[in-house]
């Protein structure tokens, strides 16, 4: 069977299965292999590792299509649970991408840390479980997007003080704003905004609202530091942190990437 035929069979299979199982979750890692595209953390845009075609209604019936081909013949696919999917991502995807998936489902209340840890305890002899348990400790239910996860982890690796995440600011004009990250030190209050493309939308009202928000925060004494995906190239992120004088923390803690699990 040639590659194009194999891919078409896989695509048809996934499409047909989704019609009868609207709560299906597709692993983007497999989609990347299928379409020969890079993972989300290698793209300038934000694409989550796990993509679903419909908002999940029955959280006990979360499924994942894992296709495989053997000896150039289509053999079928398996349907696995969400925690099994997270295990697969921990084993096969990058650490940041796997952690972003865990954080995404924690944020959506589709799984809990306790559920994942109980799974790891009951399946501790299974390959990759030790890595999943390790990566869970870096996940956060406060991450609203994969890019926020990436920024948070990059801050951790950079060794700077840990910021407050999803902090609410109440301005004197009674307006309330939630900021992605807040650093407070030596009387300074520095907001770090993990900016996606929405902040630079072509929508005039959205841009006006963002300018008003920034003005209100500055009047309250906050400094605003914005980070975008391209800032992680050529050491620009480290330079931004240095420019704003973000201090290092005394204890760097455990590493995200371990040599042995």
């Amino acid at each position: 069977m040639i590659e194009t035929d194999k891919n078409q069979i896989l695509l048809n299979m996934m499409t047909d299965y989704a019609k009868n199982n609207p709560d299906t979750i597709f692993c983007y890692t497999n989609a990347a292999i299928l379409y020969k595209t890079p993972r989300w953390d290698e793209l300038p845009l934000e694409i989550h590792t796990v993509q679903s075609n419909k908002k999940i209604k029955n959280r006990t019936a979360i499924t994942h299509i894992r296709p495989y081909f053997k000896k150039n013949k289509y053999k079928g696919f398996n349907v696995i649970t969400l925690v099994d999917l997270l295990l697969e991502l921990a084993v096969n995807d990058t650490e940041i991408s796997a952690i972003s998936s865990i954080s995404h489902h924690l944020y959506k209340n589709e799984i809990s840390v306790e559920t994942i840890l109980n799974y790891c305890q009951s399946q501790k002899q299974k390959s990759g479980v030790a890595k999943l348990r390790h990566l869970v400790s870096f996940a956060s239910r406060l991450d609203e997007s994969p890019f926020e996860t990436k920024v948070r982890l990059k801050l951790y690796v950079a060794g700077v003080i840990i910021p407050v995440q999803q902090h609410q600011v109440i301005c004197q004009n009674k307006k309330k704003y939630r900021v992605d990250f807040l650093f407070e030190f030596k009387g300074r209050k520095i907001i770090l905004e993990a900016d996606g493309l929405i902040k630079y939308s072509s929508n005039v009202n959205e841009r006006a609202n963002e300018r008003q928000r920034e003005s209100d925060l500055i009047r309250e004494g906050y400094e605003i530091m914005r980070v975008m995906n391209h800032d992680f190239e050529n050491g620009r992120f480290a330079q931004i942190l240095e420019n704003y004088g973000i201090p290092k923390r005394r204890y760097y803690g455990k590493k995200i990437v371990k040599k042995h699990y």
Side-chain angles (χ1 to χ4, degrees):
M1 180 183 299
I2 61 176
E3 191 72 20
T4 53
D5 292 341
K6 188 163 57 176
N7 289 349
Q8 191 58 49
I9 289 177
L10 173 57
L11 185 59
N12 291 340
M13 176 197 74
M14 294 171 75
T15 302
D16 292 341
Y17 189 84
K19 289 179 180 177
N20 298 321
N21 300 271
D23 296 329
T24 298
I25 289 180
F26 295 101
C27 174
Y28 184 73
T29 304
N30 286 336
I33 295 172
L34 174 62
Y35 296 109
K36 295 182 174 60
T37 57
R39 290 185 293 267
W40 75 266
D41 53 348
E42 297 170 344
L43 291 171
L45 303 178
E46 297 178 12
I47 302 177
H48 201 274
T49 307
V50 180
Q51 297 179 331
S52 58
N53 65 317
K54 186 177 181 180
K55 184 177 180 180
I56 297 170
K57 293 182 179 178
N58 183 1
R59 292 174 180 167
T60 62
I62 296 174
T63 56
H64 162 236
I65 293 179
R66 184 179 62 185
Y68 65 94
F69 297 93
K70 188 175 180 181
K71 297 180 181 178
N72 293 326
K73 292 183 179 180
Y74 166 66
K75 291 291 183 179
F77 58 91
N78 297 328
V79 177
I80 63 178
T81 63
L82 176 57
V83 69
D84 282 317
L85 170 59
L86 296 178
L87 174 63
E88 181 176 319
L89 294 173
V91 172
N92 297 310
D93 219 331
T94 66
E95 282 78 10
I96 290 181
S97 188
I99 294 170
S100 77
S101 286
I102 298 170
S103 297
H104 169 75
H105 293 291
L106 291 176
Y107 172 73
K108 292 291 187 180
N109 291 319
E110 294 165 356
I111 200 167
S112 67
V113 171
E114 182 181 14
T115 298
I116 299 173
L117 294 180
N118 287 341
Y119 172 87
C120 291
Q121 180 62 29
S122 64
Q123 303 289 330
K124 54 186 175 182
Q125 302 302 323
K126 201 170 184 178
S127 176
V129 164
K131 185 175 184 181
L132 175 60
R133 185 190 299 111
H134 175 70
L135 296 182
V136 165
S137 65
F138 291 96
S140 171
R141 64 173 59 256
L142 297 178
D143 292 341
E144 294 184 332
S145 72
F147 189 61
E148 279 190 25
T149 304
K150 185 174 183 178
V151 171
R152 180 174 58 81
L153 296 178
K154 292 289 187 180
L155 289 170
Y156 183 85
V157 171
V160 298
I161 58 175
I162 303 298
V164 177
Q165 191 174 1
Q166 300 303 333
H167 178 73
Q168 186 180 68
V169 176
I170 303 177
C171 299
Q172 293 182 8
N173 60 10
K174 307 302 182 182
K175 289 187 177 180
K176 298 179 181 179
Y177 298 113
R178 187 172 55 186
V179 300
D180 295 335
F181 302 96
L182 174 65
F183 293 98
E184 290 189 275
F185 60 93
K186 296 181 179 180
R188 297 176 67 189
K189 299 182 294 184
I190 300 179
I191 292 170
L192 188 158
E193 292 284 73
D195 279 347
L197 296 181
I198 186 65
K199 298 288 181 66
Y200 304 97
S201 169
S202 58
N203 187 297
V204 176
N205 291 332
E206 287 182 357
R207 294 203 309 273
N209 290 338
E210 184 59 28
R211 286 195 298 270
Q212 182 62 54
R213 176 179 183 273
E214 183 171 310
S215 297
D216 290 342
L217 291 172
I218 291 174
R219 277 197 296 271
E220 296 294 325
Y222 291 90
E223 301 173 59
I224 299 179
M225 167 175 41
R226 297 190 180 276
V227 175
M228 299 190 69
N229 209 35
H230 59 73
D231 290 321
F232 294 115
E233 302 171 3
N234 304 320
R236 286 199 293 267
F237 183 61
Q239 188 61 53
I240 291 173
L241 297 177
E242 183 178 340
N243 291 344
Y244 277 87
I246 307 298
K248 298 283 186 178
R249 62 183 185 273
R250 291 184 178 181
Y251 177 59
Y252 273 43
K254 57 186 175 180
K255 295 184 180 297
I256 296 176
V257 181
K258 293 173 63 176
K259 291 184 178 179
H260 303 288
Y261 290 95

